[in-house]
């Protein structure tokens, strides 16, 4: 009987211990909680770094494309104006200048002047209002129009300028600049 009482006592003590263990097993330990918070933090940092890389790459690509598109467009437009002009008035033969003056066939657009104002390429056709060839997101530097005309090759002009992106916000953006150069000759 003493053995039965002892077994009953041990059984009751074991049940109490198991109940206590179950009672404490319902939550997480501090170590488990710290490990899970650390893993979530590492994942959050990795995802945010990836996102920042993607956004900065997109901004960089947009700025490069904008500069290249505007530079090529302006260069082609000026070359087309030169091809359709009657005469290169300024710069004089064998000289260079930062502005270009053309005598064109349309009297209302004569003279046509291309220069830089406030960092933007600008065209003025006759008495008409000036129009910008580049937008405010880019800046034109080092414009150079060189009249390469000779007695055997009249009306040859070399056009060159540098176009660079301008940051529109306080956020760091990629700065990109590119040199553009082309040449054109009068058609006749």
């Amino acid at each position: 009987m003493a053995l039965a009482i002892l077994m009953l006592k041990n059984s009751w003590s074991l049940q109490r211990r198991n109940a206590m263990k179950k009672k404490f097993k319902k939550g997480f330990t501090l170590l488990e909680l710290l490990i899970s918070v650390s893993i979530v933090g590492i994942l959050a940092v990795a995802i945010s770094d990836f996102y920042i890389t993607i956004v900065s790459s997109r901004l960089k690509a947009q700025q490069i494309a904008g500069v290249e598109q505007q530079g090529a467009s302006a260069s082609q437009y000026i070359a087309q104006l030169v091809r359709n002009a009657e005469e290169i008035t300024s710069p004089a033969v064998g000289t260079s200048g930062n502005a270009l003056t053309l005598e064109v066939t349309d009297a209302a657009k004569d003279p046509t002047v291309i220069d830089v104002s406030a960092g933007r390429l600008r065209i003025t056709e006759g008495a008409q209002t000036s129009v910008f060839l580049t937008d405010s997101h880019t800046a034109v530097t080092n414009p150079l129009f060189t009249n390469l005309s000779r007695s055997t090759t009249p009306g040859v002009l070399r056009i060159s300028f540098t176009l660079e992106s301008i940051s529109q916000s306080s956020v760091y953006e990629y700065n990109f600049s590119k040199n553009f150069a082309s040449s054109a000759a009068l058609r006749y």
Side-chain angles (χ1 to χ4, degrees):
M1 177 144 167
L3 184 61
I5 292 176
L6 185 58
M7 283 178 71
L8 188 60
K9 214 179 198 184
N10 282 342
S11 170
W12 183 74
S13 176
L14 188 60
Q15 284 176 352
R16 236 174 95 195
R17 248 185 280 153
N18 284 341
M20 294 278 277
K21 281 183 182 178
K22 284 182 185 178
K23 189 176 184 182
F24 290 115
K25 282 276 190 182
K26 287 184 183 178
F28 297 104
T29 66
L30 181 60
L31 184 60
E32 290 170 332
L33 189 61
L34 287 174
I35 289 173
S36 4
V37 167
S38 298
I39 290 172
V40 168
I42 290 170
L43 287 174
V45 167
I47 290 170
S48 65
D49 186 44
F50 179 71
Y51 177 75
I52 288 170
T53 301
I54 294 294
V55 168
S56 65
S57 295
R58 182 182 61 86
L59 288 173
K60 180 179 177 180
Q62 283 178 337
Q63 287 186 329
I64 291 171
V67 166
E68 288 181 344
Q69 180 182 9
Q70 284 190 45
S73 176
S75 182
Q76 289 171 1
Y77 184 75
I78 295 168
Q80 187 64 36
L81 284 173
V82 171
R83 285 186 199 102
N84 293 332
E86 291 179 340
E87 182 183 353
I88 301 170
T89 308
S90 172
V93 174
T95 64
S96 298
N98 58 3
L100 171 65
T101 305
L102 301 171
E103 186 177 310
V104 294
T105 55
D106 186 353
K109 296 180 178 181
D110 201 21
T112 297
V113 178
I114 299 169
D115 61 359
V116 174
S117 174
R120 296 168 64 188
L121 270 176
R122 170 178 75 171
I123 182 171
T124 307
E125 296 177 310
Q128 296 177 8
T129 306
S130 298
V131 177
F132 289 106
L133 298 176
T134 56
D135 67 17
S136 61
H137 299 282
T138 57
V140 176
T141 57
N142 306 323
L144 189 63
F145 301 99
T146 307
N147 191 337
L148 302 172
S149 300
R150 295 187 185 143
S151 59
T152 57
T153 57
V156 178
L157 184 77
R158 183 172 196 282
I159 306 153
S160 65
F161 58 91
T162 302
L163 196 61
E164 63 183 79
S165 61
I166 297 175
S167 179
Q168 296 296 314
S169 66
S170 60
V171 178
Y172 170 75
E173 293 182 17
Y174 179 73
N175 292 323
F176 179 73
S177 67
K178 183 174 181 178
N179 296 324
F180 292 89
S182 64
S183 59
L186 300 176
R187 288 197 176 157
Y188 59 94

